[in-house]
Amino acid sequence: MPNSPTPTDSAPRYPRWSDRLIRQLDTFAATRSRAEKVPALILTRQDGADVRAPAFMVREYEHRLSRRRGNPHFQVPHAVVDDAELSGGFLAAIDRVGLRFQLTMPSGRLRLPAFHTCRAVLDCERGAGDFQAQQQPILDALYAALLKRRKTLRACARLADFLGQHLLTGWLQGLVAALIVGFPKLCYGFHLRHLGLRWVAHEANATCFLDAALAFCQDGELDREDPRVRRILLRALITDLRKATRRRTWLSHLWARRRWSFVVLMPEIDDADGPGRAFLGTFEELAGDHPSKPLLVLAACAGPPPDYAAPLGADPDRPNGIADKVFTFLNEGSDEPVRLVTLPAEDDTEGTAKTKIDTHWGVMARRDHPLDWVRPAALPVMAAATAGILLAPHYLWPTAPPAPPSCVTVRTGERVGVTDGRQCDLAVQGDRGRELRDLEHQVAKENAQIPDGRYRTLVFLAPLSLQNGVYDDPPIGLQILRGAIAQQHKLNTGVRQNKMPIRLLIANTGQYFQYGAHSAAAPKAPDVAQMIIGRQRQDHIAAVIGITQSRPESLNAVRELDQAGIPVIANGVSGSTMVGPDSPQRYFQISAPDGRVAPVLADFIRHSPAVRGLTSGTPHAVVVYDPTDIAFSTDLKNLFVAAYRRHGGIDEVKYSEKPGATTPETIASEVCNKVAATHGIVVYLARSGVLPSLLNAMQSAGGQCQPPEGTTIPMITESSPIDFQLHPGQTARAYPYMTLFYETTNAPTPDSRDPYAQFAQDFATVFGGRSADADAAGGFDTVGVVSKVIEDLLPASDDVQPNDIYLWLTAHGVSQYPGASGVLQLDGKNKYPPDKAVFIREIAQPSGITATLLSCGVLPDRQNPAKWGTPPDTFPCPRDDTAAASP
């Protein structure tokens, strides 16, 4: 017995991480995959766990599919097969399932013609005589049942009876009855004898359906609980469900609905002779040979599971282990028709899982709308009107240029929205919009080179503009976008097997990602994520790239895209919440998170001979951070302080990026005085875009900000402005009092085999003399990763969809990808590359020469060095699993 007894005096708790499993079930139930064989899932517990928990979860899941308070609609069609409520074995169970599916439809009516026909045969009696004489009573009974289900046929029969009751019309009764009663019945009989439900004949080893009906009718040789009869009834039900979820006709008002699955819930299958075990056993026997979509069977087991249930094979100790495995099998299908999902023994004693299940959005099916009937009525009229317009002389119908689709000027003076470079302009007028305008022209030029035919579109989503009155460093997204354009040019001009041209769209969210997602504070403001979702089909959007900033607003935008099924591959993002346990399923990033960067910075400051030459002892850290920037700056500060506090002193200075908060002039002297008093180092952990303002203020402050000639103030930054990296000589001359160290994701090497060297050549091909950097390399790699996944999928399907990309990344992933920003690995376990390469470089004074002082992680040569530094001064490289522990 897999589980031990549990006291019954307390309510069962949810197992650990059960909320993630529920979330995957919600996603599948709401959208339904294209997998043909969807396995049934049996929930059980590890030894020593509460055996009641699986049944509790299944019963609670029924509430998620039922009506919400005040809402008359169900979420998806579902039925409960409960051994405690049903008797009569399989037949009672499948009758209950069919009825409940019809009663819980969220929209429209559910017809089950095959199931009702096969079920009616069980209650029919055969006649006497030859084959046709024996079949006639069955045919009559089936047609009578059909009349009850079809209003039109029933109305015709009533009309014939009405005409026969009147003297003046009685002579018509014979003709009318022949046309509208006898002829349909004759066609129905022909259909059952020659064309319809032939698979039933194959199941019963007969030549046609009516011959098979003789075998399982009321007095036939097959018992009502015979396995073949069970298979026929369940297969008929699944056949009807597949027809109900197929795309409707182009005139149907139900065309856009019915993307959900039909769900059967079995709270307990422990009774070996109960209806639940009978239904599940029939499903296992049938689904092994035939498609089972769109039916999802979810059962719970407290005792020994059935022998035919194949273990899921997931790691119950990994937070997403079970949920990811279930999602893979539900969306890719399974050769084993029944899977045993063993939930971890530990319960969620803190109630976190219950809270997340209660507060997380449930399954949402598309609802009825009063205007749904307008489309089928309006389409023929619109088609005729369109044909008239197209065929009319053009001088009768002067055409106006189409309005720009989605470029909007907002109150900050910026233009936000989505464009392909030609449709509309996201750049503001004048010099402030010059860089973005040039990139729009470049994207339009690259997109124009794509020949007519198949292609896939990537959307670069990021803040690409500044608000009026802000004159700090240009948005880092502009340089990352240049890298994406360079990769687009390389891919589209190259020759490869399974080549898929890449088209780019530019999406500007405005400064601070202000218009990236829906805002409750400004519900009528533009929502750029929804603009992207609205263009998903017409532009063949495969994924969204970029993001470039860790902010609550950017995370909300990713959540909206995730809800729409669009994967996101981000770069320049490091906040812990972006890759935390609650991050969206379809989110990945190629940049290292704060949890990896902070310990590296702390270790470098502690050991670096270059830093020690400018400070004394173990350097005192004067940490400058933004308390209002919780997702990035405060998160990085907290992780850095945790890693460094045991080794050296720390002072914290608050500095905000947003106007009206702490200004650089108010903290410049404070920073300099603390560095001079402690002979320490400035650790700048705020946004790179406002670093020049602080340095300029320090230069103008005088006092301790002007060190004696021949000395400098040391400063290290998590990231530095683009111009600092591209023009280190100018930086050294502009700030002669400062020695700057900065962390980056790549550093040029003299080795021509280094992917960064090849990237620099590809970048120069498009942008000439403009220098490349690590940020551009990240944009280059995001396009490359998505393109690789698309072309890996092409041999299996020409129609690569966004969900296909997500499933491939989850199941197969990208391993050892030789990126310009480092060796990359992404998969279902790794939302960001493990042991991502991290470099720290120095801009020396007064020469401005740049040197790489630290190189840790998986380097471009695929080596993962154990130490950094130059002998004899070498020190261990922090790794992801040991970064928090310092030697």
Side-chain angles (χ1 to χ4, degrees):
M1 190 168 181
N3 299 301
S4 59
T6 303
T8 59
D9 57 349
S10 61
R13 295 189 179 98
Y14 283 102
R16 290 178 64 194
W17 305 315
S18 55
D19 58 298
R20 305 185 185 194
L21 175 60
I22 294 296
R23 193 183 305 176
Q24 298 289 25
L25 294 176
D26 284 345
T27 301
F28 176 79
T31 58
R32 197 176 72 251
S33 74
R34 290 180 292 178
E36 289 297 319
K37 295 185 177 181
V38 177
L41 304 178
I42 301 178
L43 305 183
T44 186
R45 295 297 299 274
Q46 289 181 328
D47 292 338
D50 189 343
V51 298
R52 299 169 300 160
F56 172 74
M57 287 181 60
V58 172
R59 293 185 191 277
E60 287 295 304
Y61 195 66
E62 178 190 359
H63 300 322
R64 295 179 69 80
L65 307 182
S66 300
R67 292 185 178 95
R68 291 188 173 186
R69 182 174 298 177
N71 189 339
H73 292 282
F74 289 91
Q75 310 305 311
V76 298
H78 63 281
V80 179
V81 178
D82 195 336
D83 289 358
E85 297 180 1
L86 292 174
S87 61
F90 172 83
L91 194 59
I94 198 166
D95 283 345
R96 172 71 172 270
V97 169
L99 178 61
R100 292 301 302 171
F101 280 167
Q102 290 181 301
L103 293 177
T104 57
M105 287 287 288
S107 60
R109 293 178 55 200
L110 174 64
R111 291 182 175 180
L112 304 174
F115 173 72
H116 284 142
T117 300
C118 295
R119 178 64 181 85
V121 170
L122 294 179
D123 299 326
C124 296
E125 294 183 356
R126 65 198 301 173
D130 60 9
F131 260 17
Q132 290 199 359
Q134 293 183 39
Q135 293 170 356
Q136 192 60 42
I138 298 176
L139 177 60
D140 293 340
L142 293 180
Y143 190 73
L146 181 67
L147 288 179
K148 294 179 180 179
R149 302 196 304 267
R150 296 290 186 266
K151 293 181 179 180
T152 303
L153 293 177
R154 190 165 63 250
C156 291
R158 289 176 178 174
L159 176 63
D161 291 341
F162 174 79
L163 294 176
Q165 296 172 2
H166 297 270
L167 179 63
L168 296 179
T169 58
W171 63 274
L172 291 174
Q173 201 254 356
L175 177 62
V176 172
L179 292 177
I180 64 177
V181 178
F183 183 70
K185 185 176 181 179
L186 182 65
C187 292
Y188 184 65
F190 181 85
H191 174 74
L192 293 183
R193 280 194 175 93
H194 301 282
L195 302 175
L197 300 174
R198 294 192 61 82
W199 58 267
V200 178
H202 297 158
E203 290 280 354
N205 295 321
T207 57
C208 70
F209 173 78
L210 288 180
D211 289 351
L214 293 176
F216 66 96
C217 63
Q218 191 172 23
D219 48 354
E221 58 267 23
L222 295 181
D223 186 76
R224 296 161 73 92
E225 295 293 334
D226 187 278
R228 284 176 289 179
V229 176
R230 292 182 175 185
R231 284 172 57 95
I232 288 173
L233 292 178
L234 183 56
R235 186 174 175 184
L237 178 64
I238 295 178
T239 299
D240 289 333
L241 298 183
R242 282 204 304 271
K243 291 180 180 179
T245 52
R246 287 176 184 163
R247 175 168 288 187
R248 318 299 289 180
T249 64
W250 68 288
L251 291 177
S252 173
H253 71 289
L254 296 175
W255 181 79
R257 298 205 185 104
R258 299 192 182 178
R259 294 192 60 197
W260 23 255
S261 291
F262 292 83
V263 182
V264 174
L265 303 173
M266 301 180 184
E268 298 178 13
I269 58 167
D270 299 304
D271 185 355
D273 298 324
R277 186 69 70 105
F279 187 94
L280 188 64
T282 305
F283 178 88
E284 185 274 337
E285 182 183 352
L286 180 67
D289 303 323
H290 301 285
S292 57
K293 78 170 187 181
L295 181 64
L296 171 62
V297 180
L298 182 64
C301 179
D307 295 336
Y308 50 73
L312 187 71
D315 182 3
D317 296 325
R318 189 165 65 86
N320 286 324
I322 295 175
D324 285 350
K325 274 283 188 180
V326 167
F327 187 81
T328 299
F329 283 128
L330 291 180
N331 286 274
E332 294 185 352
S334 171
D335 293 332
E336 300 293 341
V338 180
R339 288 284 180 175
L340 185 65
V341 182
T342 303
L343 303 175
E346 298 83 358
D347 288 328
D348 179 39
T349 56
E350 298 178 356
T352 304
K354 176 174 174 54
T355 301
K356 291 183 178 180
I357 292 173
D358 292 341
T359 57
H360 185 266
W361 290 351
V363 181
M364 295 300 294
R366 186 185 184 279
R367 305 302 183 203
D368 291 322
H369 192 277
L371 298 180
D372 284 343
W373 290 98
V374 172
R375 180 176 57 189
L379 277 176
V381 176
M382 293 176 61
T386 302
I389 292 173
L390 294 177
L391 295 176
H394 289 289
Y395 61 85
L396 293 178
W397 309 103
T399 58
S406 56
C407 292
V408 182
T409 301
V410 293
R411 62 177 183 81
T412 62
E414 303 166 278
R415 288 180 62 78
V416 301
V418 186
T419 182
D420 66 353
R422 294 186 305 173
Q423 296 164 336
C424 57
D425 192 2
L426 293 171
V428 298
Q429 297 298 317
D431 191 61
R432 287 178 56 236
R434 177 180 52 81
E435 286 192 66
L436 179 54
R437 191 176 302 108
D438 291 345
L439 292 177
E440 288 178 341
H441 294 163
Q442 186 67 44
V443 167
K445 175 182 175 183
E446 297 294 337
N447 289 342
Q449 303 301 317
I450 299 176
D452 293 337
R454 64 176 190 172
Y455 64 85
R456 285 297 177 268
T457 298
L458 304 184
V459 184
F460 186 88
L461 174 67
L464 299 173
S465 61
L466 299 175
Q467 298 178 5
N468 284 331
V470 177
Y471 302 103
D472 279 332
D473 197 59
I476 195 173
L478 294 173
Q479 184 71 350
I480 298 176
L481 176 56
R482 290 188 182 94
I485 296 172
Q487 180 71 281
Q488 179 197 20
H489 177 81
K490 176 185 177 181
L491 293 172
N492 288 350
T493 57
V495 178
R496 301 178 311 286
Q497 187 178 9
N498 299 328
K499 177 178 177 180
M500 173 66 80
I502 297 298
R503 182 170 173 263
L504 273 182
L505 294 179
I506 302 174
N508 180 29
T509 64
Q511 193 173 5
Y512 311 130
F513 230 100
Q514 186 168 350
Y515 299 97
H518 174 75
S519 171
K524 295 184 179 180
D527 181 348
V528 177
Q530 288 300 322
M531 293 180 183
I532 295 172
I533 294 168
R535 300 176 59 148
Q536 179 180 355
R537 292 185 179 276
Q538 70 185 55
D539 285 301
H540 304 291
I541 293 175
V544 170
I545 60 174
I547 306 302
T548 74
Q549 292 185 0
S550 307
R551 296 184 185 274
E553 294 81 3
S554 63
L555 188 58
N556 289 338
V558 173
R559 287 196 175 107
E560 288 187 17
L561 296 167
D562 177 60
Q563 290 283 340
I566 301 176
V568 178
I569 316 294
N571 181 52
V573 177
S574 63
S576 300
T577 57
M578 302 297 290
V579 293
D582 294 326
S583 65
Q585 296 176 8
R586 292 170 177 80
Y587 174 81
F588 301 85
Q589 68 182 46
I590 67 169
S591 48
D594 290 341
R596 170 156 176 76
V597 174
V600 173
L601 292 175
D603 194 68
F604 175 79
I605 296 171
R606 178 189 175 196
H607 293 296
S608 170
V611 173
R612 286 179 175 269
L614 300 169
T615 59
S616 62
T618 300
H620 187 94
V622 180
V623 179
V624 180
Y625 78 103
D626 185 350
T628 66
D629 188 1
I630 299 174
F632 164 65
S633 184
T634 302
D635 176 61
L636 181 59
K637 184 269 296 185
N638 292 338
L639 293 169
F640 173 80
V641 169
Y644 192 73
R645 186 177 294 281
R646 69 181 73 117
H647 306 301
I650 296 174
D651 278 318
E652 298 179 7
V653 180
K654 299 177 180 179
Y655 173 42
S656 179
E657 64 173 334
K658 294 188 177 180
T662 308
T663 62
E665 291 78 15
T666 60
I667 68 165
S669 296
E670 179 185 1
V671 172
C672 296
N673 292 340
K674 288 184 176 181
V675 172
T678 60
H679 207 49
I681 181 173
V682 181
V683 182
Y684 183 82
L685 303 181
R687 299 279 176 179
S688 62
V690 291
L691 176 58
S693 296
L694 177 60
L695 296 182
N696 293 333
M698 292 172 66
Q699 192 169 23
S700 303
Q704 297 295 341
C705 289
Q706 299 299 324
E709 187 173 353
T711 62
T712 57
I713 299 174
M715 172 182 281
I716 186 168
T717 72
E718 184 272 342
S719 61
S720 65
I722 297 172
D723 288 341
F724 285 19
Q725 301 179 45
L726 298 182
H727 309 291
Q730 296 179 13
T731 303
R733 291 190 295 272
Y735 308 106
Y737 62 92
M738 181 72 63
T739 296
L740 184 67
F741 305 87
Y742 64 90
E743 179 269 331
T744 181
T745 58
N746 211 333
T749 66
D751 190 349
S752 60
R753 295 170 299 177
D754 184 349
Y756 189 91
Q758 180 60 51
F759 152 69
Q761 297 178 20
D762 296 329
F763 190 87
T765 301
V766 180
F767 295 102
R770 176 179 286 272
S771 300
D773 68 345
D775 294 316
F780 188 85
D781 285 347
T782 51
V783 176
V785 166
V786 179
S787 176
K788 182 181 186 305
V789 173
I790 291 174
E791 294 181 358
D792 285 341
L793 287 164
L794 283 178
S797 172
D798 289 337
D799 186 21
V800 177
Q801 296 299 315
N803 202 50
D804 299 331
I805 297 174
Y806 164 68
L807 292 176
W808 181 275
L809 279 172
T810 301
H812 306 284
V814 174
S815 179
Q816 299 296 312
Y817 179 84
S821 63
V823 178
L824 303 179
Q825 177 182 346
L826 298 174
D827 51 48
K829 183 179 179 181
N830 301 291
K831 291 289 187 178
Y832 63 91
D835 278 327
K836 169 77 173 180
V838 176
F839 302 83
I840 294 182
R841 311 190 78 200
E842 175 191 10
I843 300 177
Q845 287 287 3
S847 63
I849 296 175
T850 304
T852 302
L853 305 183
L854 178 145
S855 302
C856 286
V858 183
L859 303 182
D861 60 2
R862 291 181 172 78
Q863 298 299 312
N864 193 346
K867 295 184 178 182
W868 64 271
T870 304
D873 298 321
T874 59
F875 313 95
C877 273
R879 301 187 186 277
D880 273 359
D881 54 349
T882 59
S886 189

